Amino acid sequence: GEDVEQSLFLSVREGDSSVINCTYTDSSSTYLYWYKQEPGAGLQLLTYIFSNMDMKQDQRLTVLLNKKDKHLSLRIADTQTGDSAIYFCAESENTPLVFGKGTRLSVIA
Amino acid sequence: NAGVTQTPKFRVLKTGQSMTLLCAQDMNHEYMYWYRQDPGMGLRLIHYSVGEGTTAKGEVPDGYNVSRLKKQNFLLGLESAAPSQTSVYFCASIGGENYGYTFGSGTRLTVV
């Protein structure tokens, strides 16, 4: 079956860049997503990338997609304390989405 | 505000009690989902619906039932609650050209 893997924890200093990585198994995925979950809240769609793209940039966020290696990454530039959250990678060829277990990002002031 | 609304936000049940969690969306979305979130387990799909009157099992359906009598509502029922069902439950619906989910804010359920 489809599977999405992420590392569970990442700690960075305020102002540094954060890179969260994700690998997936379904090569037919149409869209790949990054969701953010702040404490006590639901998941918010942060950004997404269509499978025919290699990169997408949105302000401080850069998404890189390597389809050959089935690897997705999210780079957050100038990481702030407000970026502390759990980040979920998800992929979809058809619904339902398949989520990774989430990466907890801790930002140290 | 348009979105996904879950009720209740918190609930404590005794083992063996029943309850229904309500999810309502006002975005005219066809697809709706129920997930549970447990520490270290990520999100696991319980049941989902691809339209009014339809439901399907997800990864962890045992102990739960669902109904989608109206397009805007998706109900999750626990017939006889067990401590293993202590979790945070999230509802989501799908829409938009990127097929991304819109999530509710969650229901934190404790079964004692």
Side-chain angles (χ1 to χ4, degrees):
Chain A
E2 300 161 12
D3 196 17
V4 177
E5 296 284 341
Q6 304 176 237
S7 54
L8 294 182
F9 300 99
L10 177 65
S11 182
V12 300
R13 292 199 177 277
E14 190 175 19
D16 288 350
S17 292
S18 307
V19 179
I20 302 171
N21 294 301
C22 168
T23 58
Y24 60 97
T25 57
D26 188 354
S27 58
S28 59
S29 296
T30 306
Y31 289 99
L32 295 115
Y33 306 87
W34 284 104
Y35 284 83
K36 177 183 181 182
Q37 184 181 32
E38 296 182 354
L43 280 71
Q44 279 183 292
L45 180 61
L46 199 57
T47 187
Y48 66 94
I49 188 167
F50 191 54
S51 59
N52 68 354
M53 299 168 66
D54 298 324
M55 185 181 85
K56 180 179 180 181
Q57 188 144 6
D58 184 1
Q59 299 183 340
R60 292 191 297 122
L61 306 178
T62 303
V63 178
L64 295 178
L65 175 60
N66 182 327
K67 285 195 72 175
K68 175 176 171 290
D69 295 337
K70 297 179 191 173
H71 183 265
L72 182 73
S73 68
L74 173 70
R75 180 177 179 268
I76 305 173
D78 187 26
T79 310
Q80 302 297 308
T81 55
D83 295 322
S84 294
I86 302 176
Y87 292 81
F88 290 90
C89 170
E91 61 92 11
S92 169
E93 191 267 332
N94 288 304
T95 63
L97 294 186
V98 178
F99 289 86
K101 288 185 168 52
T103 300
R104 184 179 295 274
L105 174 64
S106 298
V107 182
I108 305 164
Chain B
N1 289 338
V4 177
T5 303
Q6 291 185 234
T7 52
K9 294 194 184 307
F10 302 94
R11 184 75 185 267
V12 178
L13 283 181
K14 292 183 179 179
T15 298
Q17 285 185 317
S18 64
M19 78 163 293
T20 300
L21 283 68
L22 172 63
C23 176
Q25 53 94 4
D26 58 3
M27 298 171 286
N28 203 35
H29 288 170
E30 288 290 339
Y31 292 16
M32 297 184 73
Y33 307 85
W34 276 107
Y35 286 87
R36 60 178 288 174
Q37 185 179 27
D38 303 291
M41 302 294 289
L43 289 165
R44 292 184 290 170
L45 182 64
I46 305 171
H47 285 280
Y48 65 102
S49 168
V50 300
E52 182 178 318
T54 73
T55 63
K57 293 180 181 179
E59 181 186 354
V60 288
D62 294 342
Y64 305 95
N65 57 74
V66 286
S67 64
R68 183 97 182 271
L69 298 179
K70 292 183 179 180
K71 186 177 184 180
Q72 63 267 36
N73 295 337
F74 194 29
L75 279 64
L76 177 71
L78 284 72
E79 295 171 342
S80 178
S84 60
Q85 294 177 303
T86 293
S87 187
V88 182
Y89 292 85
F90 287 103
C91 176
S93 68
I94 199 166
E97 62 178 12
N98 62 37
Y99 302 105
Y101 283 9
T102 300
F103 278 87
S105 57
T107 295
R108 186 174 295 275
L109 175 67
T110 303
V111 182
V112 297

